[in-house]
Amino acid sequence: MRERGYDIDSPRGGGKSKLADDAGVHRAAVSRLIQRQSMPDLETMRRLAAVLGVPLRDMLIRSGRLSENDLPIAAARGGDTDAPRLLSPEEAARRMGVPPELQAVFVRVTKAFLPQAE
């Protein structure tokens, strides 16, 4: 946030409010994130990541809620067998214990954040 010019250290610097405005999120969400009081919802994280120019994956990992193992990078083309295999949204829902009646919603939301196939 500091690297992007948001003064988040000074109580009157306005950086938190400016970041919240730029991202279209509530200022309290930014304050709670900075103070590590709570984790914003996925849409808030997506908006903050976009404004800060940081991949959403990095935001989620830097937040401490997920690890690099939780969000593996897709294997390079050419069949790298040592690279982690990506889970399909359906498989991820099952492994995470998402209730069957909510799996379709989980899959739809998850797919919105996946890169589009070329």
Side-chain angles (χ1 to χ4, degrees):
M1 293 176 198
R2 291 178 192 95
E3 289 175 12
R4 298 290 189 249
Y6 293 101
D7 181 3
I8 59 170
D9 300 309
S10 171
R12 300 196 191 276
K16 294 175 200 167
S17 295
K18 174 83 169 104
L19 176 58
D21 289 346
D22 290 351
V25 301
H26 198 279
R27 183 183 183 279
V30 173
S31 293
R32 287 191 300 265
L33 173 64
I34 291 170
Q35 296 169 2
R36 296 187 180 263
Q37 291 177 340
S38 70
M39 178 75 161
D41 61 62
L42 190 55
E43 179 61 19
T44 299
M45 290 291 280
R46 186 190 64 76
R47 289 173 179 233
L48 290 169
V51 166
L52 295 171
V54 176
L56 180 59
R57 177 183 186 276
D58 292 352
M59 286 278 290
L60 293 169
I61 291 170
R62 289 180 188 179
S63 72
R65 298 288 242 205
L66 296 171
S67 71
E68 290 189 33
N69 291 334
D70 295 325
L71 296 171
I73 295 176
R77 292 182 192 209
D80 182 357
T81 57
D82 292 334
R85 184 181 68 82
L86 293 179
L87 299 177
S88 69
E90 294 82 2
E91 187 177 354
R94 285 191 299 276
R95 287 189 181 192
M96 292 173 59
V98 174
E101 65 272 13
L102 297 177
Q103 286 184 7
V105 173
F106 175 90
V107 168
R108 189 172 64 247
V109 170
T110 303
K111 285 183 177 179
F113 291 97
L114 294 175
Q116 300 297 320
E118 293 179 13

